[in-house]
Amino acid sequence: MFYHLGKIATRFRWLIVGLWIVAAAVAVLFAPQVGQVLRSGGFSSPDSESQRAVDVLVQKLHLDLTVVQVIFTSHEYTADDPRFVQESQQALARLKGWSEVTQVISFTDNPRQIALDRYAAYVNVLLKSDPDAAPKLLPELQQRLQAVPHLKTSIGGGPVFYEDLQSVSENDLRRAEILAFPFAIIALLLVFRSVVAALLPALVGGFAVVIALAIIFGLGHITPLSIFVLNITTLFGLGLGVDYSLFIVSRFREELAHGHSIEDAVVLTVATAGRAVTFSGLTVSIGLLGLTFFHINMLRSVGMGGVLVVSLAMLAAVTLLPATLALIGLRVNALPVRLRAFWKHFTASAVNDVALGQTVGDAHHGFWYRLSQFVMRYPVRVFFPVLFLLIGFGLPFLDVRFSAPDASILPSNVPSRRAFDLLAERFNDRETTPILIAVQTRGNVLTAENIHNLYYYVQRIEADPRVARVDSIVSADPRFTLEQYQLLYTHPQLLADPYLSAFLRSSVAGDTIRIQVISKYTMLDTRSQALVQTIRNTPAGNGMTVLVDGGTAGNIDYVNSLYSDFPKAVFIVALTTYVLLLLLFRSVVLPLKAIIMNTLSILASYGALVVIFQDGFLHQVLGFTPLGFVEATSPILLFCSLFGLSMDYEVFLLSRVQEAFWQTGDNTRSVALGLQRSGGIITSAAIIVVVVSLCFATADVILVKALGLGMALAVVLDATLVRGLLVPATMRLLGDWNWWLPFVGVQRHPPALAEYRAEESVLDVARVNTLGHGDISIGEEK
């Protein structure tokens, strides 16, 4: 198949290159507009109890849950001062008559909206629009807010957070692109030592990103997609597009150096490196496809975008790039770049040695060959220390605390983060994050029987030592008895208290009532979480049904939704990857070993998440405020991203080891030869991915920063400890069991030899025979 694909790339090279250029030219028209169709939310699950509670309250009580908080602060007046009140009302005057505003709840109506020091207060502005559309109203809202002389005005809340998240994400993307492209070009120049060869991978990565963004622009009109698609698309498009092209171009130069014609070199490259790229792209896609199993739209969006751009990068690497190489031929080495000698030794590999005119026999004496020989001489002494070191890196993850994202994931200079910090520092944050209970009764709430049932239900909640207060129509005034509440609500003409009347109208409709529970502890405190679970697990009785929402409940549901789906995604991704690698390597052991190796590097990155983002290690250097928790999607994103990405290098390494094993029939020697032939180029590819990932680690959104930093760390560990030490040691300990397949045994030659000869090894036989090393060549076996 890949042999024929190489033939097609050479025969129709002008057509293939032309089609890709046309596709990229069309994509350029739409790719810059992609941000317009992406959404900032997508962190909730539609099936969670908290979301069902929101749906009930919105449907029954017609509540507007899209809230913008306008915060007033003063150095002169307290919120009780008439001048403070007058100026705040003056600032809000033009908002109250705006058709998009349904209600303005002032601190004069609710004293709990006044800061603890009394020099600040906030007003809740309720909007008609849903959370996704509300950010578009913010420019006009800010215009309608009038400046006043003695009060400073800040705005916060969900719509402001989503608007800031979108703008900061787009800024992060621009910064990462500005940094990543030149650094990637520099790294490629160091690897290839030719301007033309260095530009080809960057071209393929750029094509993949631009076309993927244009397709996402189209998809965004059909289905809701998260703003984080931008970051993942560029990260994987650049990283893997460059990676795959690096392997293709390197193999092409290697085949040219072996004396093959341009056409034969292209065919050989696609039949060998192209095959590895395809299987590698499939493993990465499978990992990212795991994200689509989650109910959280943000993860599903990132999975869709990731699979799309990886598929395009893979397709470009095996079609566009071979066709381009067929066109430029020997000019791939044009415009040579002189480099310092140390880099030559650092990236020394068979590929680079050939490019420098050295003999292929040097492959037996290169750095990676010597390293693997040393490791396989002492496999047990290497295996266990490295294993324990990687496990040790992952141990901090045992203390992880998960949470949903809030404004703390944004930089401190954006409006929503400033408002978030202001509320946390100067207000009682327990008042701003109540536990909301939607109770539905049998028949109308305001019957004597239902008031009786609600009264004792609320008393049971109030009796919990973790509860500070319960706000409801049956606990509004502690001086009232049950009989007085029943009398008031069953005879509304007796209800003269304006506060109680307003409270009744806002919290009761038909058979539905809203109750607010104020915990004594903060939203993320484990005692508040336990309180929510207690309320959920305690039946209300008397035919009443209860749904619990609020910040704490939403956070619990968010984490539970993610990690109830996570094991299924892990199993499906691991099983599918195993089957794919089983078909590639025709071994039951190698795929399992590869999955275990990947897991170790991923666990090490998980430990870093806790140490850095939860505990705050290096936070000043990295430029963020420690969260005190790990954003719950970060480990999932890292797993699905890194599982395929780490497997990427495993596939390229083991493909070369497999080739060497078919040549020599010697497991130990094939590992050394395979590592020497692939070690330098895989290291170079890993360096480029690390560079691109670190560019994304400069992001201001902590979620993106964590993904970039985690990927960079995992790839470094994978390219050094895992691939350089653990893999050779493991393969030495397993011996010929590496290549065992049930009912076949150990395969010391390519299977299905006739088919292999017909498709992929016609030219490969000639190449192997020219290498002049190895006891058994494929050609001799034939």
Side-chain angles (χ1 to χ4, degrees):
M1 171 182 162
F2 293 97
Y3 169 80
H4 292 302
L5 183 61
K7 283 287 188 182
I8 292 170
T10 58
R11 185 176 305 166
F12 302 102
R13 48 186 175 268
W14 284 107
L15 176 62
I16 293 172
V17 172
L19 289 174
W20 275 97
I21 290 175
V22 170
V26 173
V28 166
L29 301 176
F30 300 100
Q33 306 175 55
V34 68
Q36 300 173 10
V37 301
L38 301 180
R39 303 184 181 185
S40 305
F43 290 96
S44 62
S45 172
D47 302 326
S48 66
E49 179 176 335
S50 55
Q51 186 59 48
R52 296 201 310 272
V54 169
D55 294 340
V56 167
L57 293 174
V58 170
Q59 179 184 358
K60 297 287 187 176
L61 300 181
H62 306 289
L63 293 182
D64 295 303
L65 299 180
T66 305
V67 181
V68 173
Q69 293 164 331
V70 181
I71 308 171
F72 299 104
T73 56
S74 173
H75 296 293
E76 303 176 38
Y77 310 138
T78 65
D80 310 294
D81 193 305
R83 290 168 292 186
F84 190 108
V85 175
Q86 181 182 359
E87 289 200 10
S88 66
Q89 291 177 343
Q90 179 184 342
L92 295 167
R94 294 179 58 201
L95 279 180
K96 293 181 178 179
W98 189 21
S99 60
E100 295 291 341
V101 173
T102 59
Q103 189 179 3
V104 176
I105 304 174
S106 175
F107 58 90
T108 57
D109 302 322
N110 185 358
R112 296 189 181 100
Q113 293 174 204
I114 298 176
L116 299 175
D117 62 6
R118 314 298 294 179
Y119 283 91
Y122 67 88
V123 173
N124 285 329
V125 179
L126 279 60
L127 302 176
K128 288 181 181 177
S129 298
D130 60 72
D132 290 325
K136 298 176 183 177
L137 302 175
L138 291 178
E140 185 172 352
L141 185 147
Q142 290 174 312
Q143 288 179 359
R144 286 175 174 271
L145 274 176
Q146 300 182 52
V148 287
H150 300 98
L151 300 183
K152 180 182 177 181
T153 305
S154 305
I155 61 170
V160 186
F161 168 65
Y162 291 143
E163 175 68 16
D164 289 342
L165 185 61
Q166 177 124 2
S167 62
V168 174
S169 295
E170 290 175 351
N171 290 336
D172 287 344
L173 179 63
R174 283 191 289 270
R175 184 194 307 115
E177 288 175 339
I178 291 171
L179 292 172
F181 270 110
F183 277 118
I185 292 294
I186 291 171
L188 288 168
L189 285 172
L190 292 173
V191 173
F192 285 128
R193 300 188 278 285
S194 161
V195 173
V196 173
L199 289 177
L200 288 176
L203 178 69
V204 169
F207 270 45
V209 170
V210 170
I211 296 173
L213 291 178
I215 296 175
I216 289 170
F217 174 75
L219 290 174
H221 288 88
I222 303 171
T223 183
L225 294 175
S226 168
I227 187 67
F228 290 106
V229 171
L230 281 178
N231 303 91
I232 200 75
T233 299
T234 307
L235 174 58
F236 274 88
L238 288 179
L240 292 180
V242 170
D243 255 17
Y244 295 158
S245 305
L246 184 64
F247 290 115
I248 296 290
V249 174
S250 300
R251 191 61 177 253
F252 176 71
R253 297 174 79 196
E254 181 180 350
E255 302 305 338
L256 286 179
H258 287 139
H260 294 298
S261 67
I262 293 170
E263 289 75 11
D264 287 351
V266 170
V267 173
L268 268 173
T269 297
V270 177
T272 53
R275 178 172 179 264
V277 162
T278 301
F279 276 90
S280 173
L282 289 174
T283 59
V284 177
S285 297
I286 288 169
L288 291 169
L289 198 62
L291 294 173
T292 63
F293 291 103
F294 293 88
H295 293 92
I296 305 297
N297 184 54
M298 188 276 284
L299 290 179
R300 294 175 61 193
S301 300
V302 167
M304 290 169 59
V307 171
L308 176 62
V309 76
V310 170
S311 301
L312 284 169
M314 177 182 68
L315 185 62
V318 297
T319 59
L320 170 63
L321 191 54
T324 306
L325 292 173
L327 286 174
I328 63 176
L330 297 175
R331 291 189 293 276
V332 71
N333 296 317
L335 304 177
V337 177
R338 296 183 180 274
L339 301 170
R340 294 175 61 181
F342 83 91
W343 184 263
K344 165 191 161 184
H345 294 295
F346 182 70
T347 60
S349 68
V351 173
N352 290 332
D353 290 342
V354 169
L356 291 170
Q358 297 178 2
T359 64
V360 182
D362 289 343
H364 293 273
H365 307 288
F367 167 76
W368 295 103
Y369 188 93
R370 294 193 301 271
L371 175 64
S372 60
Q373 289 286 3
F374 170 80
V375 170
M376 289 188 290
R377 190 177 301 124
Y378 308 103
V380 175
R381 298 182 191 179
V382 172
F383 177 81
F384 285 103
V386 174
L387 177 66
F388 292 145
L389 181 62
L390 290 171
I391 293 174
F393 284 155
L395 285 178
F397 192 64
L398 295 176
D399 298 323
V400 68
R401 295 187 297 274
F402 291 126
S403 180
D406 53 31
S408 64
I409 70 171
L410 296 175
S412 57
N413 61 341
V414 299
S416 61
R417 176 61 188 276
R418 289 198 300 267
F420 177 85
D421 291 341
L422 184 58
L423 289 171
E425 293 166 4
R426 302 183 64 174
F427 292 79
N428 185 343
D429 57 352
R430 295 181 292 279
E431 296 285 348
T432 60
T433 55
I435 299 168
L436 298 178
I437 307 177
V439 181
Q440 292 185 288
T441 60
R442 288 177 179 171
N444 194 293
V445 169
L446 301 180
T447 63
E449 182 183 359
N450 282 333
I451 292 170
H452 172 275
N453 296 336
L454 287 167
Y455 181 82
Y456 286 106
Y457 175 64
V458 168
Q459 280 201 331
R460 282 160 51 197
I461 296 175
E462 287 179 320
D464 192 300
R466 296 163 294 193
V467 174
R469 187 182 75 254
V470 178
D471 294 337
S472 72
I473 63 168
V474 291
S475 59
D477 192 327
R479 297 170 298 177
F480 285 8
T481 65
L482 170 60
E483 290 73 18
Q484 289 173 314
Y485 280 126
Q486 288 176 318
L487 181 65
L488 282 174
Y489 297 136
T490 55
H491 299 81
Q493 68 273 15
L494 300 178
L495 192 60
D497 185 283
Y499 171 74
L500 203 55
S501 298
F503 190 41
L504 181 65
R505 288 194 301 271
S506 64
S507 60
V508 176
D511 64 349
T512 304
I513 178 173
R514 179 187 60 172
I515 297 173
Q516 289 192 164
V517 178
I518 309 301
S519 172
K520 291 180 180 179
Y521 310 102
T522 58
M523 185 183 79
L524 297 181
D525 193 288
T526 54
R527 290 164 291 191
S528 292
Q529 295 177 343
L531 173 60
V532 168
Q533 299 288 24
T534 299
I535 295 172
R536 284 179 166 177
N537 296 332
T538 304
N542 301 304
M544 295 187 294
T545 59
V546 171
L547 293 171
V548 182
D549 182 36
T552 304
N555 188 68
I556 292 171
D557 290 344
Y558 178 71
V559 174
N560 288 345
S561 174
L562 289 173
Y563 288 91
S564 62
D565 292 335
F566 192 32
K568 292 182 288 186
V570 169
F571 176 76
I572 292 171
V573 167
L575 179 62
T576 310
T577 302
Y578 180 87
V579 172
L580 185 68
L581 295 183
L582 177 66
L583 296 175
L584 174 63
F585 295 122
R586 298 176 176 92
S587 162
V588 296
V589 177
L590 284 182
L592 183 61
K593 179 193 70 66
I595 289 172
I596 294 172
M597 298 293 106
N598 278 8
T599 303
L600 288 172
S601 58
I602 292 171
L603 286 177
S605 69
Y606 280 6
L609 282 180
V610 174
V611 172
I612 295 173
F613 295 99
Q614 179 174 299
D615 300 336
F617 179 68
L618 295 178
H619 73 276
Q620 293 178 329
V621 176
L622 295 172
F624 71 95
T625 304
L627 298 176
F629 60 84
V630 169
E631 199 287 317
T633 60
S634 295
I636 296 170
L637 281 170
L638 275 177
F639 172 82
C640 292
S641 302
L642 288 172
F643 193 86
L645 187 60
S646 298
M647 198 68 74
D648 189 34
Y649 302 125
E650 191 83 5
V651 166
F652 283 109
L653 169 61
L654 294 181
S655 294
R656 295 309 293 258
V657 173
Q658 186 182 49
E659 284 184 40
F661 186 70
W662 285 342
Q663 295 166 28
T664 66
D666 185 326
N667 176 73
T668 302
R669 192 175 181 192
S670 67
V671 173
L673 287 172
L675 188 57
Q676 176 58 30
R677 292 172 184 171
S678 63
I681 203 66
I682 293 177
T683 300
S684 302
I687 289 171
I688 292 171
V689 170
V690 169
V691 167
V692 173
S693 298
L694 288 177
C695 290
F696 280 85
T698 64
D700 290 324
V701 178
I702 291 184
L703 182 59
V704 179
K705 185 188 291 287
L707 180 61
L709 195 63
M711 286 183 63
L713 177 62
V715 170
V716 167
L717 292 175
D718 185 76
T720 54
L721 296 180
V722 174
R723 181 173 48 80
L725 301 176
L726 207 55
V727 169
T730 306
M731 295 194 74
R732 176 67 177 88
L733 291 171
L734 291 172
D736 282 351
W737 283 101
N738 287 301
W739 313 101
W740 181 76
L741 188 68
F743 310 112
V744 177
V746 177
Q747 301 178 87
R748 299 183 184 275
H749 56 77
L753 200 56
E755 177 186 350
Y756 193 83
R757 178 191 296 115
E759 286 199 355
E760 295 177 3
S761 66
V762 171
L763 293 173
D764 200 41
V765 169
R767 182 190 64 78
V768 172
N769 286 332
T770 62
L771 293 179
H773 57 75
D775 299 328
I776 303 174
S777 72
I778 298 176
E780 290 170 352
E781 283 195 27
K782 289 175 178 290

